[in-house]
C-alpha cells in the first residue's frame, strides 16, 4: 500500500466539500494528490444534510460532481478510515506517516448487502447521531462513496462474525485485516479537517441530555432526511408523534463567553432552511424562531425574506434562558425575555431545535506541526508553516459555496508552493 510519492505530490487531509474540491482542482491541473479521510466515506458533514440552502437542493448534487471528477482523474488517490500519525520536514519535502484502520471489507465488495442481512449485532448509527441503530456490517449511508461496506470492530471476535463473512459471495470480508502504516513524501499540504457541532449538553439550562424532544440542528438534518432515522418524517423523538409546533433556539451556546464566543454565521440560515422542512411537511405546522439577530448576508437575505413571508413562521427576539419539559404532554417549555416587547416569554412546543455552532476540528485535534491558530482553534490565514494551507471550516465557519472557493484557492496555493521548486 502507499508507495512513497514524490515531493511534487500534494497531500489533502479531510475529504469533505473543502478537501475534495482542493484535491480535484489540483489534480485536474496535472498534480498528483493523495487525500486522507478518517471516515469510511468521503463528503464530510455535507453528506449528512437533508437540503442545501438557499436553493434547497439535495446536498449530493454538489458532492456527486466532485466524486465523479475524482473517479475520472488518474491524479487523485484517496484513503478512507485513514489518519495522520506524524509529519516532519518542511515545505517541498514533508514526510507524512499515515495509518489506515481496518475496514474488514476489501475492494471486492459490491455493496450487495448480504453481510448485513445475516448480521444480528446492531450498533449506534454515527451517521444519524445515534438516533438509530445500524447493523454491525453496514454501508455508511445509501449514497456513500466509496460504496463499500464496513464491519464495526464490535463484530470482530463475536460468534456471528464468521456467519457474516460466509454470507459474502465475493470473498470481500477479511476479519483479520490489520491497521496499515506507510510514509508519504509530499511537497505541500492542504488541511481540510472541517468542523464538529458544539456539544449541546454543555448548555446545561437547555437540558439537551435529559429531554429527547430537545435536539440539535445537525440532528434535525438527519430527522428530515429520507435516509434518516424516521425516513424523513418529522416525528417527536419521545413518542413518535408528528411534530406540529417547533421552536428554533438561535445562538445556542454561540456568541456566549461561556461557550463559543463567536458567531458561526451559518446557524440562522440553517434554521430558516429547517423551518421550511417543518412547514412543507405539515401545512398546519407552526414554527417560532428565537433569535438575537438574524444574520443572513448578501444574496442569502432573499431566503430570509421568503421564509419571513410565511405567516406560520414567527420570529421572537429572545435569547432563550431555559428549556424544561411538561411531564404530562412531553412538550418542551421554553422561557426567556422578548427583548423587543420587553416582556417575559414562554412558548410550548413539540420540539426544540438548538442552533448550535461550528467548532473547528483543529480546536480539538492539533496538526502535528507548528501551525498557528486563533483563540478558538481556527487556523490563521497564514498558517505559520510554509507549504501548509488551511481550507474551508478549519479557517472559519462557512457555508458550502465559500468552502468550494476556499478549496480552489488552497489548491492554487499548494500548486504555487510545488511549482516554486
Ligand atoms: C445545521 C447545519 C446545516 C447546514 N446547512 C448548510 C446548507 O444548507 N448550505 C450550506 O451551504 N452550508 C450548510 N452548512 C455548512 C456546511 O455543513 C459546511 O460548510 C461544510 O460541511 C464544510 O465542509 P468542510 O469540508 O470544510 O468540513 P466537513 O464537512 O466537516 O468535512 C471535513 C472532513 O474531514 C474529515 N477529517 C476530520 N479530521 C480529520 C483528520 N484528522 N484526518 C483525516 N480526515 C479528517 C472529516 O471526517 C470530514 O469528512 C450547515 C451547517 C450546519 C451546522
Amino acid at each position: 500500500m502507499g508507495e512513497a510519492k514524490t515531493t511534487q505530490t500534494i497531500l489533502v487531509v479531510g475529504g469533505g466539500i473543502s478537501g475534495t474540491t482542493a484535491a480535484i482542482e489540483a489534480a485536474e491541473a496535472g498534480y498528483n494528490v493523495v487525500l486522507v479521510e478518517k471516515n469510511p466515506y468521503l463528503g464530510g458533514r455535507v453528506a449528512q444534510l437533508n437540503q442545501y440552502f438557499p436553493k434547497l437542493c439535495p446536498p449530493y448534487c454538489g458532492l456527486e460532481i466532485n466524486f465523479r471528477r475524482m473517479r475520472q482523474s488518474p491524479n487523485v488517490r484517496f484513503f478512507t478510515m485513514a489518519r495522520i500519525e506524524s509529519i516532519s520536514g518542511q515545505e517541498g519535502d514533508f514526510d507524512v506517516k499515515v495509518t489506515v484502520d481496518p475496514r474488514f471489507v476489501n475492494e471486492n465488495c459490491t455493496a450487495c448487502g448480504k453481510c448485513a442481512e445475516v448480521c444480528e449485532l446492531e450498533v449506534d448509527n454515527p451517521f444519524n447521531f445515534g438516533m438509530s441503530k445500524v447493523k454491525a456490517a453496514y454501508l455508511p449511508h445509501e449514497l456513500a462513496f466509496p460504496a463499500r461496506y464496513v464491519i464495526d470492530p464490535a463484530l470482530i471476535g463475536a460468534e456471528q462474525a464468521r456467519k457474516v463473512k460466509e454470507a459474502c459471495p465475493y470473498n470481500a470480508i477479511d476479519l483479520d485485516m490489520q491497521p496499515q502504516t506507510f510514509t508519504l513524501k509530499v511537497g505541500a499540504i492542504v488541511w481540510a479537517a472541517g468542523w464538529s457541532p458544539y456539544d449541546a449538553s454543555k448548555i446545561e439550562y437547555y437540558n439537551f441530555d435529559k429531554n429527547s424532544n430537545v435536539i440539535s440542528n445537525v440532528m434535525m438534518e438527519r430527522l428530515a432526511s429520507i435516509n434518516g432515522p424516521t425516513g424523513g418524517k418529522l416525528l417527536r423523538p419521545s413518542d413518535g408523534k408528528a411534530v406540529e409546533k417547533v421552536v428554533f433556539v438561535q445562538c445556542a451556546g454561540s456568541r456566549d463567553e461561556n461557550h463559543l464566543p463567536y458567531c458561526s454565521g451559518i446557524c440562522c440560515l440553517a434554521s430558516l432552511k429547517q423551518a421550511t422542512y417543518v412547514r412543507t411537511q405539515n401545512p398546519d405546522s407552526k414554527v417560532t424562531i428565537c433569535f438575537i439577530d438574524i444574520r443572513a448576508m448578501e444574496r442569502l437575505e432573499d431566503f430570509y425574506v421568503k421564509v419571513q413571508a410565511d405567516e406560520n413562521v414567527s420570529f421572537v427576539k429572545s435569547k432563550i434562558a431555559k428549556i424544561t419539559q411538561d411531564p404530562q404532554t412531553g412538550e418542551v417549555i421554553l422561557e426567556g425575555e422578548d427583548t423587543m416587547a420587553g416582556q417575559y416569554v414562554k412558548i410550548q412546543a413539540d420540539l426544540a431545535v438548538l442552533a448550535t455552532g461550528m467548532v473547528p476540528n483543529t480546536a480539538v485535534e492539533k496538526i502535528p506541526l507548528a501551525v498557528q491558530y486563533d483563540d478558538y482553534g481556527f487556523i490563521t490565514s497564514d498558517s505559520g508553516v510554509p507549504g501548509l494551507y488551511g481550507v474551508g471550516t478549519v479557517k472559519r465557519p462557512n457555508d458550502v459555496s465559500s468552502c468550494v472557493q476556499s478549496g480552489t484557492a488552497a489548491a492554487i496555493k499548494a500548486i504555487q508552493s510545488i511549482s516554486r521548486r
Side-chain angles (χ1 to χ4, degrees):
M1 181 190 288
E3 72 289 352
K5 297 279 177 183
T6 71
T7 52
Q8 292 294 297
T9 300
I10 296 168
L11 170 70
V12 176
V13 179
I17 191 74
S18 303
T20 54
T21 302
I24 201 67
E25 294 296 353
E28 288 180 359
Y31 290 80
N32 275 323
V33 178
V34 175
L35 189 150
V36 169
E37 164 58 52
K38 73 173 180 188
N39 277 337
Y41 58 90
L42 301 184
R45 301 265 172 210
V46 169
Q48 291 173 293
L49 301 179
N50 175 41
Q51 290 177 340
Y52 272 152
F53 60 73
K55 288 191 180 161
L56 303 184
C57 48
Y60 254 76
C61 295
L63 287 180
E64 187 49 41
I65 293 170
N66 277 8
F67 298 160
R68 180 171 47 75
R69 289 167 72 193
M70 284 178 79
R71 278 192 288 264
Q72 287 168 354
S73 174
N75 293 340
V76 190
R77 182 151 188 219
F78 69 88
F79 297 93
T80 50
M81 301 188 73
R83 55 200 155 84
I84 306 295
E85 297 274 5
S86 64
I87 307 177
S88 58
Q90 63 278 312
E91 181 174 24
D93 189 15
F94 290 108
D95 287 309
V96 184
K97 205 178 194 192
V98 179
T99 293
V100 178
D101 287 321
R103 180 185 270 265
F104 304 108
V105 178
N106 64 32
E107 52 285 351
N108 292 344
C109 177
T110 62
C112 69
K114 296 264 190 271
C115 54
E117 278 171 26
V118 301
C119 179
E120 286 151 31
L121 181 67
E122 289 191 328
V123 292
D124 276 348
N125 187 348
F127 196 71
N128 287 337
F129 299 101
M131 289 187 287
S132 66
K133 297 274 185 193
V134 69
K135 297 282 183 76
Y138 66 100
L139 192 63
H141 61 96
E142 285 77 354
L143 297 170
F145 176 66
R148 191 184 301 173
Y149 273 63
V150 191
I151 304 281
D152 190 282
L155 190 68
I156 305 300
E159 253 178 49
Q160 49 180 297
R162 197 129 301 277
K163 193 166 79 171
V164 169
K165 179 179 164 59
E166 282 161 10
C168 176
Y170 304 101
N171 201 19
I173 297 180
D174 175 359
L175 299 172
D176 300 319
M177 211 178 254
Q178 296 295 320
Q180 306 249 7
T181 299
F182 56 90
T183 303
L184 294 171
K185 201 167 257 310
V186 300
I189 300 172
V190 174
W191 207 270
W195 62 280
S196 293
Y198 185 69
D199 180 359
S201 63
K202 288 186 181 163
I203 322 163
E204 285 167 12
Y205 43 88
Y206 289 161
N207 285 310
F208 171 79
D209 270 351
K210 300 192 186 85
N211 184 344
S212 60
N213 295 333
V214 180
I215 64 170
S216 67
N217 51 6
V218 287
M219 292 165 80
M220 183 64 166
E221 291 293 332
R222 297 309 309 140
L223 208 56
S225 292
I226 191 118
N227 63 350
T230 55
K233 294 201 175 80
L234 296 174
L235 306 178
R236 204 161 74 160
S238 67
D239 57 6
K241 169 187 180 286
V243 302
E244 284 161 35
K245 201 168 170 200
V246 179
V247 182
F248 291 89
V249 179
Q250 296 312 112
C251 296
S254 294
R255 301 167 70 191
D256 181 336
E257 288 299 328
N258 297 313
H259 298 283
L260 292 184
Y262 55 88
C263 164
S264 283
I266 208 83
C267 321
C268 289
L269 267 306
S271 293
L272 290 167
K273 172 183 71 168
Q274 293 177 355
T276 70
Y277 299 167
V278 180
R279 294 287 304 119
T280 308
Q281 202 160 113
N282 176 357
D284 298 324
S285 59
K286 299 251 185 296
V287 169
T288 305
I289 299 180
C290 297
F291 66 100
I292 302 180
D293 33 48
I294 296 286
R295 293 186 170 173
M297 309 302 274
E298 299 167 8
R299 71 198 158 87
L300 294 171
E301 190 174 350
D302 294 347
F303 185 63
Y304 174 30
V305 171
K306 196 171 134 202
V307 177
Q308 261 182 325
D310 181 341
E311 58 187 21
N312 283 328
V313 179
S314 50
F315 292 80
V316 176
K317 192 167 169 65
S318 173
K319 171 106 174 140
I320 291 299
K322 70 170 176 181
I323 305 177
T324 50
Q325 188 172 25
D326 181 331
Q328 252 92 55
T329 63
E331 287 188 336
V332 287
I333 304 167
L334 298 94
E335 293 170 79
E337 188 194 348
D338 180 336
T339 52
M340 292 290 269
Q343 62 192 28
Y344 163 80
V345 63
K346 183 176 175 185
I347 311 167
Q348 206 136 334
D350 293 311
L351 192 68
V353 182
L354 305 180
T356 47
M358 299 162 83
V359 181
N361 285 330
T362 42
V364 181
E365 196 184 338
K366 298 289 179 206
I367 302 169
L369 283 170
V371 169
Q372 285 170 9
Y373 306 94
D374 70 9
D375 292 348
Y376 314 117
F378 291 101
I379 301 174
T380 52
S381 292
D382 172 1
S383 75
V385 174
L388 184 140
Y389 308 97
V391 51
T393 48
V394 291
K395 283 180 80 182
R396 63 183 63 88
N398 248 331
D399 66 359
V400 168
S401 65
S402 307
C403 288
V404 169
Q405 288 170 23
S406 174
T408 308
I412 291 170
K413 285 284 173 201
I415 288 170
Q416 285 171 344
S417 162
I418 279 181
S419 306
R420 277 199 292 272
R421 251 146 288 279

